Structure formats: C-alpha cells, structure tokens
C-alpha cells in the first residue's frame, strides 16, 4: 500500500468531476494519451495565467512612474537624447501623465524596483518550501490554493486604484503575499507533467509546453495594456480573476498521476530506455516503482549530480530574463525610437516580441538538446549567443521600430531558450536521476531547488536595474551581458563531460564499424 499522501491523491483524483464528465461524453474510460493531453493543456494554461499576473506590473510601471526614468536615459554613448525643456526642467516630449503616489516621486524607479525584489524574494524563498510540500501532499489541491491566492492578491493590488490607496506598505505586503502563492506553481506543474511523460523527446515536448511562460507574458502584456485606458487597477484585477478561474478548472479536472485515475501506461517510445546504461533514456517513472517511497530531503536533492551547476546557472539566466520581464516595457517607453517616444500601451504591446522570440527559443533549445542528447552544451551555447544579442539590441534598437522589434525577438530567443530548457527538461531529468534508484518523489523538490535558486537571481536583476538605470541604462545592459557570460561558464564542467562522452561514443561507433567490416 502506498504512502498516505499518495493514497489521498489517488482517491481524490479518482472522483474528479471533470474526469467523470469527460468519461461520460466519451462513452467510456479515457485513454492514456487523452489523459496526457489533458495534463499538458491544463498545466499549460495554469502556468500561463501565473505569468500573466506576473507581467502586469511591468506594463503599469510607466503609468505609476511616468517621468523619473529620463535621468537614467541621459547617458547613451551611441546617440544623444532629446528632451523637451519646460520651465527649466527636463521632461519627456510625450505626455505621460502625473503618475500615482508614492511611485511618481524622484525615487519612483527605485521604489518600483523594491516592489519587484520583495515579490521575487518571497517567491524564491517560498519555492524551496513549495517543492518540499509538493512531494508530500496532493498536488492538485496545492496548485488550486496557489492559483486562487495568486488571483486574489493580484486583484488586491489593483484595488488600490479605486480605494485611492497611496501607502507604499500596502502594495509591498500585497506583492509579498502574491509572491508566496505564486511559488506553488512551478514545482507543481513540472511534477505533474513529469509523472505523465518519459524522458524520450522530453526536451522537445517540454520546450513546446514551456511556451506557457511566454504566452502568459504576452497575454498579460496585451490584457494589461488594453485595460490601462479604463484605469490601471483593471490591469491587475482582470488577470487575477482569470487566474482564479483557471485554478478552479485545475481542481475539477487535473489528474496528478496515471495511477490516480487508473490509466495504464502505454508501451511507447517514451516509456522505455533507448540505450542500455544511458542516463537520459531511463523512463521517468518505472512501472515497478517501490510500493512505499520516501520523499527526498532538501540536502540530498542538492547532492544529485548536476543540480548545483544548473541551479547556479539559472540564477544568472533568470537575472537576465526577469530584468526584461519587469523592465522592458518601461525601458521601451522611455527610449526614443526613431526620434519618438512610444505610449505605455504601445510599449507594452511591442515588448511582447521578446516573449514571442522566447517561445521559439524554448522549442529550439529543447529540440537541439534532444537531438544532441546534451543539455549543458545547448544551454551554455544559448547563453553565449545572448551576449552579442544584448549588445546589438542596446546599441541599435533605437534606430527604427522594425529594427527594435527584430533585435528584441532575437534577444528573447537566446535569453529564454536556456531558461526554458533548465526549468523544464533539465529539472525533470535531474528529478529522476539514476542516483535516486527509481524514487519518483523527488521531482517537485529538485524543481524547486533549481527554480528557487534561479528566482533569487530573478529578484536581484530587477532590484539592481531599479538603481543602476537611474544613472545609466548602458550599465544595466553591461550587467546583463556579464550575467549571461557567467551563466555559460558555470556549465563548463558539464559541457566538458558531455563533449568527452560524445567523443567516446564516436570512437566506440567507429571501432564497431571496423569490426563489422573485418
């Protein structure tokens, strides 16, 4: 008999209203592949809604603090900045409004940066505990509570608009609690998907599935931008309500494991090893899983080979990605493109090209890593390519709107590619590492360690940007390029190991061919 949490999960999922309805409509039990499709679709929209609520802050920033960033743009070695001078003070030539206290003062940019770091610091802290609890409780209930809580506190931030609230600590506390609820999402969805899919082609499958991050960012940007004309409060409330609704869908329909709904794992290429002794080809969950498994401890999970270097790499990768997530629309709206400043709405819409590039980057990184069977080589290569992409976007993004969009797309592809790969396929691979000896109850913990460490970097990046941008945006991009370089270098040992393995495999194949010829 399984452990208590597993038994509870199985009994709960076996009585899901959504599953009963689908079985009734289907006229019989659902197939294994149908359950897989349900898992992919539901978790896709679940985490997309998380990111939609996370993106709203970056869109509303330029409305809350419309004018303080002109100082930060004054230093641009490649071109002069044009300002309209009025009454002896510099102002942006476009009318951006008066902002919203307490964010519209001279220190507005740094205050917004403090909100970001508060949210992300609690998110990173909560991530470690979420993984621990996720491996020990019903993931469906855990995810549902997280989504409804996220929707509630995201909406409460927007309520400050109608309540005419100008107390900084109100927004700070709301953001911190929202960050705590947000931390339940990633370990939960990765663990559920990992329970249903084997390792073969996992990089490609999860690369496509991980598009939820960019799709959520795009949806959040478009919704928040569209709602600005009705009042910035709606930019928070609408995504918050959507997230809470999707949380209810998760509660009604999401199956946690094949065993919980009585689905038989089909004998396909995803369920069995490709090559004997090949770590990456092991099935995610063996059909002969030990009857009673102990959840892996926090320290034990850190000791799994590959967890530490990938976690530290993600620290710097997410530092870059989340700086763009939280500051790109703000940066675009305060940068003269072809001599003109864009409105907050237009800047938010244009910034979605970064996420569109991220979708392609995630899919390419997953496919390439599957083909090469080399996660570290793929992730490091993308991080190194992100360095020139960042340089060209900063240097030439102001020339024209089209060039800005193209360079933004390319930058998003290289920045989000390794971020997507590490948080999905790599985390799932390491969560089922051969050192665990078939223990399936490590996925959420390993995922939380890797993404939690990355989230600390995600907090540091926006915080530093809030302060550094007040002096120079060029310095911000220098920081991002340095972070991308460090991220790649942290995988050097794993890259060397993968290259050595490839060379050994090549020699072995040649020797076998020579033997056959003889």
């Amino acid at each position: 008999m399984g452990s208590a949490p597993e038994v509870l999960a199985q009994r709960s999922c076996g009585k899901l209203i959504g599953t009963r309805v689908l079985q009734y409509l289907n006229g019989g039990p659902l197939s294994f592949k149908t359950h897989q499709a349900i898992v992919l679709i539901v978790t896709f929209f679940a985490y997309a809604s998380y990111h939609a609520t996370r993106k709203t802050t970056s869109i509303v920033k330029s409305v809350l603090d419309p004018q303080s960033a002109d100082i930060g743009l004054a230093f641009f070695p490649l071109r002069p900045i044009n300002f309209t001078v009025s009454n002896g003070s510099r102002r942006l030539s476009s009318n951006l409004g008066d902002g919203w206290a307490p964010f519209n003062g001279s220190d507005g940019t740094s205050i917004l940066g403090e909100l970001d770091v508060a949210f992300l610091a609690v998110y990173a802290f909560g991530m470690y505990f979420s993984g621990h609890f996720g491996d020990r409780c019903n993931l469906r209930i855990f995810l549902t509570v997280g989504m409804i809580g996220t929707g509630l506190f995201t909406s409460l931030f927007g309520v400050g608009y109608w309540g005419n609230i100008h107390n900084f600590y109100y927004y700070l506390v709301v953001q911190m609690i929202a960050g705590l609820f947000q931390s339940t999402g990633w370990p939960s969805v990765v663990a559920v998907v990992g329970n249903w899919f084997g390792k073969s082609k996992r990089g490609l499958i999860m690369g496509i599935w991980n598009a939820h991050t960019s799709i959520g960012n795009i949806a959040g940007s478009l919704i928040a931008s569209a709602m600005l004309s009705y009042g910035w409060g709606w930019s928070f409330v609408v995504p918050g309500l959507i997230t809470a609704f999707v949380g209810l869908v998760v509660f009604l329909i999401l199956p946690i494991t094949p065993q919980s709904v009585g689905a038989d794992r089909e004998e396909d290429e995803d369920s069995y090893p490709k090559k004997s002794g090949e770590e990456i080809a092991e099935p995610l969950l063996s059909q002969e899983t030990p009857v009673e498994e102990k959840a892996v401890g926090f320290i034990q999970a850190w000791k799994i080979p590959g967890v530490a270097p990938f976690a530290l790499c993600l620290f710097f990768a997410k530092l870059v990605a989340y700086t763009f997530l939280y500051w790109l629309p703000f940066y675009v709206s305060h940068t003269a493109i072809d001599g003109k400043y864009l409105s907050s709405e237009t800047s938010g819409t244009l910034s979605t090209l970064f996420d569109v590039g991220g979708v392609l980057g995630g899919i390419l990184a997953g496919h390439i890593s599957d083909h090469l069977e080399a996660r570290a080589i793929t992730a490091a290569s993308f991080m190194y390519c992100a360095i020139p992409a960042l340089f060209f976007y900063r240097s030439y993004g102001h020339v024209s709107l089209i060039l800005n969009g193209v360079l933004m797309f390319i930058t998003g592809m290289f920045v989000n590619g390794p971020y997507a790969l590490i948080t999905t396929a790599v985390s799932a691979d390491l969560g089922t590492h051969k050192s665990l000896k078939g223990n399936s109850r490590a996925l959420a913990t390993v995922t939380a360690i890797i993404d939690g460490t990355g989230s600390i970097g995600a907090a540091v990046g926006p915080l530093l940007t809030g302060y550094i941008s007040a002096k120079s945006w060029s310095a911000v991009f220098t920081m991002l390029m340095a972070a991308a370089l460090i991220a790649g270098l942290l995988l050097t040992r794993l890259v060397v190991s993968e290259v050595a393995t490839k060379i050994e495999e090549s020699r072995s194949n040649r020797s076998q061919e020579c033997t056959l010829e003889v």
Side-chain angles (χ1 to χ4, degrees):
M1 189 158 180
S3 61
E6 289 177 311
V7 172
L8 290 174
Q10 290 179 14
R11 290 178 180 174
S12 177
C13 288
K15 298 179 181 179
L16 291 181
I17 296 176
T19 300
R20 288 180 175 181
V21 172
L22 291 175
Q23 287 179 343
Y24 175 77
L25 295 175
N26 189 54
L30 303 177
S31 68
F32 185 80
K33 288 190 179 295
T34 300
H35 279 109
Q36 284 183 315
I38 291 172
V39 168
L40 283 179
I41 293 171
V42 173
T43 54
F44 182 96
F45 283 104
Y47 207 69
S49 65
Y50 271 112
H51 261 265
T53 59
R54 207 175 297 176
K55 182 67 176 178
T56 55
T57 306
S58 68
I59 300 299
V60 179
K61 273 180 181 174
S62 56
V63 174
L64 301 178
D65 176 30
Q67 298 183 36
S68 67
D70 59 338
I71 300 174
L73 295 172
F75 178 73
F76 196 167
L78 299 174
R79 67 180 177 88
I81 299 293
N82 296 319
F83 294 96
T84 298
V85 180
S86 176
N87 298 326
S89 62
R90 293 189 305 172
R91 300 188 61 177
L92 296 176
S93 57
S94 58
N95 183 14
L96 295 172
D98 296 326
W100 186 270
F103 308 109
N104 60 348
S106 59
D107 59 346
T109 305
S110 60
I111 290 178
L112 288 169
E114 290 169 5
L115 273 186
D116 292 340
V117 76
F119 171 89
L120 292 167
V122 174
Y123 174 79
F125 178 77
M127 184 76 72
Y128 292 113
F129 290 95
S130 294
H132 179 81
F133 289 124
D135 280 328
R136 293 164 174 80
C137 68
N138 188 330
L139 285 172
R140 180 174 62 88
I141 304 298
F142 190 59
L143 185 58
T144 299
V145 171
M147 296 191 71
I148 293 177
T150 296
L152 172 63
F153 282 91
T154 299
S155 299
L156 285 176
F157 193 102
V159 168
Y161 172 75
W162 293 284
N164 198 29
I165 298 174
H166 297 279
N167 189 316
F168 169 72
Y169 293 101
Y170 169 81
Y171 298 103
L172 180 66
V173 171
V174 167
Q175 278 290 77
M176 291 174 70
I177 299 177
L180 185 62
F181 278 110
Q182 284 254 2
S183 68
T184 63
W186 191 240
S188 300
V189 296
V190 172
V192 172
V193 172
N195 287 336
W196 284 90
F197 292 89
K199 287 188 175 181
S200 176
K201 297 183 180 178
R202 179 186 288 164
L204 177 59
I205 292 173
M206 284 194 155
I208 297 173
W209 172 74
N210 193 64
H212 54 48
T213 299
S214 297
I215 295 299
N217 290 340
I218 293 170
S221 297
L222 295 178
I223 293 172
S225 297
M227 292 296 104
L228 282 178
S229 59
Y230 301 98
W232 63 261
W234 287 110
S235 296
F236 289 91
V237 172
V238 173
L241 293 176
I242 292 173
T243 301
F245 172 77
V246 177
L248 293 176
V249 174
V250 167
F251 178 77
L252 293 173
I253 200 172
L254 182 65
I256 302 304
T257 65
Q259 294 83 2
S260 67
V261 290
D264 295 326
R265 185 176 290 276
E266 298 180 356
E267 298 184 7
D268 58 18
E269 62 177 2
D270 289 343
S271 301
Y272 296 93
K274 289 282 187 181
K275 300 175 185 177
S276 60
E278 189 176 55
E279 175 187 327
I280 200 170
E282 294 173 358
L284 181 59
L285 293 178
S286 172
Q287 290 180 320
E288 297 181 359
T289 302
V291 175
E292 187 170 352
E293 298 175 337
K294 279 189 175 182
V296 173
F298 183 78
I299 302 300
Q300 183 184 354
W302 266 106
K303 293 179 180 179
I304 296 173
V307 168
F310 272 114
L312 294 174
C313 172
L314 190 62
F315 175 96
F316 291 98
K318 288 192 75 169
L319 185 154
V320 178
Y322 269 66
T323 297
F324 273 88
L325 174 68
Y326 280 94
W327 287 101
L328 182 57
F330 187 86
Y331 170 76
V332 171
S333 67
H334 291 81
T335 300
I337 300 175
D338 195 17
K340 301 176 182 177
Y341 289 97
L342 303 179
S343 67
S344 299
E345 294 86 347
T346 304
S347 298
T349 302
L350 178 63
S351 69
T352 60
L353 287 175
F354 180 85
D355 296 298
V356 175
V359 173
L360 178 61
I363 295 173
L364 282 178
H367 176 67
I368 293 171
S369 69
D370 278 344
H371 181 71
L372 297 178
E373 295 184 353
R375 309 289 198 209
I377 292 174
T378 304
S381 298
F382 269 71
M383 291 311 307
Y384 291 139
C385 290
I387 298 172
L390 288 164
F391 174 79
F392 285 120
Y393 179 68
R394 172 57 179 165
S395 301
Y396 302 104
H398 68 281
V399 173
S400 70
L401 193 62
I402 294 177
L403 186 59
N404 185 288
V406 170
L407 293 174
M408 186 188 297
F409 177 89
I410 295 173
T411 303
M413 182 176 67
F414 287 121
V415 168
N416 282 344
Y419 161 37
L421 180 65
I422 294 172
T423 54
T424 53
V426 170
S427 295
D429 287 350
L430 295 175
T432 54
H433 193 272
K434 62 182 180 180
S435 65
L436 297 171
K437 299 178 181 179
N439 189 342
S440 63
R441 298 186 62 197
L443 268 172
T445 300
V446 170
T447 300
I449 286 175
I450 292 177
D451 200 43
T453 304
S455 296
I456 297 174
V460 171
L463 175 66
L464 293 178
T465 299
Y467 291 105
I468 298 174
S469 64
K471 297 181 179 179
S472 168
W473 276 100
S474 292
V476 171
F477 277 82
T478 300
M479 175 190 73
L480 298 180
M481 288 185 281
L485 175 62
I486 295 172
L489 292 176
L490 284 168
L491 297 179
T492 300
R493 185 175 61 84
L494 295 177
V495 169
V496 171
S497 178
E498 288 181 350
V499 170
T501 300
K502 292 299 177 185
I503 294 175
E504 184 61 30
E505 287 179 357
S506 179
R507 289 175 179 173
S508 177
N509 291 335
R510 282 201 300 268
S511 63
Q512 289 179 1
E513 290 175 0
C514 292
T515 302
L516 291 174
E517 290 177 0
V518 173

